[in-house]
Amino acid sequence: MAKPVTDPPGLDRGLTNYGDREFSRYLRRSFARSMGISGEMLERPVVGIAVSGSGFNNCHRTMDELTEAVSRGVLATGGLPLPFPTISLGEVFLNPTSMMFRNLMSMDVEEMIRAQPMDSVVLIGGCDKTVPAQLMGAVSAGRPAIQLVTGPMMTGRHRGERLGACTDCRRFWAKFRAGEVSEDEVSQIEANLAVTAGTCAVMGTASTMACIAEALGMSLPGTAAVPAVHASRLVIAEETGKAAVRLVQHPIPPSQVITKKSIENAFRVLLAVGGSTNAVIHLIAIAGRLGIGFSLDRLNEISDQTPVLVDLKPVGDGYMEDFFAAGGVGAVLRELKPLLNLDCIGVDGRKLQERLDGNSQWVDRKVIHTLKDPISARGGLVALKGSLAPHGAILKRAAATASLFEVEGRAVVFENLDDLARRVDAPDLDVDPNDILILKNAGPQAAGMPEAGYLPIPGKLARAGVKDMVRISDARMSGTAYGTIVLHVAPEAATGGPLAIVRSGDRVALSVSKRRIDLLVPDEEQKRRFGSWSPPPFPDRGYAALYRRSVLQAPQGCDFDFLIRRPASNQG
């Protein structure tokens, strides 16, 4: 009986199929020699390094030196580092939105890990959708993987004030729209908002996902908050390379690190740091790749138990460099210890209990509060349901105006993004400060779900001094944004959710205490309106058509229906 063909480690893994394995091996080694790699090195275990740098990605400007530092660590520990490129998602350089390409990048990462001969992989990235895409792809590929984030920017200065992208971007732009800041000053601010390499300097989506990667155990302890330009970031990269070789010697696949328990830990950290609403979608998508379900009802349960501990913009006053100096994710985890699942294992092979034991470090309590003295007794995010959002919606209550939590108002409706851009500053727009702004057709199927949920205050109200209003949409908002904004309304308007038939003048009720968002229109009238409703046209070719045909709604993580795992297996 012929022996089954096994997949050997190193460069002999996954040989190209020419119908002759020995020829495939001979040819591969020959071409590897053409890159100047010695025969001795070719016998080493291979660590792939997934690099996501691009001239269209400011967050990843340090990619080359990080790759070099990872390679040093791999070589020092007896491995062969082989960098390879993947799609790069530079948030502000992509149209219509980077979210539309997250799943595509995840597929790229998954297939390149699976198709190329590597025994483990280091994932280098930082920009908003990059870390989720890399984790989703690595989880699906199943090979031992470790995340290395690029790190946050340092802050700039303007007239004696610290500035950091991009909460301060939005704050000064709102002042400019209100006539409080001149065009010349806005130009000066533009030059001082983003002054170093790295991701946004506040607890936006990029920083939130870096914290989540560490909380999950997919990156080394103490690595999430180190600034991109700090020397320690390169030391961390080197240590990550060493850890990747250890993952070859003692394999720990992502499915052993990312479990139901570690997902819940990550949600607690998300809530404690006052993190991005986008992270809810991303965490659900990562979990879905392993068949782990997570409901918005469970999010509310965890939120009610988990206080906000971190004083950073957009929820507080500080920046990521302050969070790093204050103690970082480790300090937050130690405060949350009574609420955490401590038997979760990380890529370093240790259980969370072990990682949190030992000598306690100094913590700056102005930035990271204690569990007994939180900034807020409940988590920064809350899920809503009701007749306007039967499957759910999200509000970042930690960045919202509490006086708007229990309101009923008149709807001022924008049919789509173009309608919003055309009319929001029109002098004759029928709107007052107590109205509720509603944007339709900005969900995943209709528009790729851009960060358009941060609807601007209508120009005439902004100039009159209005700073916040209730805003509702099926879009997302940037993790750096703030305000009383209800997002991710599901089902979205384009699929025939109730949002589709809302009209200006309808009454809408928001109750954060009851976790509800309701359209106060009689059922018979809603049925009548749906009788004349039709969905918007969709693309018929290319990736856009695939996306619209296959993308799930926000409560399912906006992943593709053919990429999630069903049914759920035993995930501890």
Side-chain angles (χ1 to χ4, degrees), residues 51-54 85-89 101 104-106 108-109 130 134:
V51 296
S52 54
S54 164
T86 68
I87 291 171
S88 184
L89 302 181
F101 302 102
L104 182 62
M105 183 180 182
S106 80
D108 184 12
V109 170
T130 301
Q134 289 178 324

Side-chain angles (χ1 to χ4, degrees), residues 84 109-116 118 121 123 138 141 143:
F84 64 96
V109 170
E110 174 184 348
E111 299 303 339
M112 289 302 97
I113 292 174
R114 184 181 289 120
Q116 297 176 129
M118 63 191 77
V121 61
L123 311 160
R143 209 155 293 174

Side-chain angles (χ1 to χ4, degrees), residues 371-555:
L371 202 60
K372 294 181 179 179
D373 180 32
I375 295 169
S376 171
R378 295 183 296 176
L381 305 177
V382 61
L384 310 170
K385 290 186 179 179
S387 62
L388 187 57
H391 297 169
I394 296 291
L395 171 72
K396 189 171 184 177
R397 62 181 166 193
T401 303
S403 60
L404 296 176
F405 283 6
E406 308 293 327
V407 296
E408 179 186 321
R410 182 184 66 149
V412 176
V413 177
F414 300 95
E415 292 295 326
N416 51 45
L417 294 164
D418 290 339
D419 186 36
L420 173 67
R422 185 171 59 251
R423 293 196 296 122
V424 71
D425 288 335
D428 60 349
L429 180 68
D430 182 11
V431 64
D432 69 51
N434 296 317
D435 289 337
I436 294 176
L437 305 182
I438 292 183
L439 172 64
K440 303 180 188 180
N441 295 306
Q445 288 197 18
M449 209 178 188
E451 291 182 340
Y454 185 72
L455 280 72
I457 302 297
K460 65 182 183 181
L461 296 183
R463 290 187 293 274
V466 176
K467 303 298 183 184
D468 195 12
M469 298 174 68
V470 176
R471 286 157 276 180
I472 300 171
S473 76
D474 46 13
R476 298 177 300 113
M477 77 174 180
S478 169
T480 63
Y482 49 88
T484 310
I485 303 173
V486 177
L487 304 153
H488 311 176
V489 170
E492 66 175 295
T495 64
L499 194 65
I501 50 94
V502 181
R503 295 178 181 175
S504 290
D506 289 344
R507 304 295 291 181
V508 173
L510 167 67
S511 174
V512 176
S513 64
K514 295 178 181 177
R515 311 289 194 268
R516 291 197 65 86
I517 184 78
D518 288 298
L519 175 61
L520 306 180
V521 171
D523 291 345
E524 285 303 314
E525 173 61 14
Q526 292 191 39
K527 290 177 183 177
R528 189 187 68 77
R529 292 182 189 181
F530 271 122
S532 60
W533 175 83
S534 59
F538 287 159
D540 60 3
R541 67 173 303 277
Y543 178 69
L546 172 66
Y547 188 90
R548 265 62 177 220
R549 184 171 63 243
S550 303
V551 69
L552 298 167
Q553 295 291 288

Side-chain angles (χ1 to χ4, degrees), residues 103-257:
N103 297 347
L104 182 62
M105 183 180 182
S106 80
M107 294 167 70
D108 184 12
V109 170
E110 174 184 348
E111 299 303 339
M112 289 302 97
I113 292 174
R114 184 181 289 120
Q116 297 176 129
M118 63 191 77
D119 301 299
S120 68
V121 61
V122 176
L123 311 160
I124 310 180
C127 198
D128 288 25
K129 310 306 174 293
T130 301
V131 170
Q134 289 178 324
L135 291 175
M136 290 161 69
V139 161
S140 295
R143 209 155 293 174
I146 184 168
Q147 183 77 54
L148 172 66
V149 296
T150 56
M153 298 178 190
M154 303 290 279
T155 53
R157 297 291 187 277
H158 172 71
R159 299 184 181 180
E161 180 182 358
R162 278 202 301 172
L163 297 180
C166 195
T167 299
D168 294 326
C169 317
R170 300 176 190 283
R171 179 166 60 89
F172 277 102
W173 190 254
K175 288 185 174 185
F176 174 64
R177 293 183 76 254
E180 299 172 17
V181 169
S182 70
E183 191 167 344
D184 284 346
E185 187 175 357
V186 159
S187 180
Q188 295 171 29
I189 293 164
E190 176 188 306
N192 289 283
L193 279 164
V195 295
T196 76
T199 55
C200 286
V202 299
M203 190 58 77
T205 304
S207 295
T208 302
M209 291 309 302
C211 294
I212 281 174
E214 183 174 334
L216 284 170
M218 285 299 296
S219 57
L220 293 179
T223 62
V226 179
V229 295
H230 199 293
S232 294
R233 178 57 60 190
L234 297 178
V235 175
I236 288 165
E238 188 174 304
E239 291 301 317
T240 300
K242 295 176 182 177
V245 177
R246 293 195 292 271
L247 280 173
V248 178
Q249 299 161 344
H250 306 285
I252 305 173
S255 59
Q256 290 183 17
V257 177

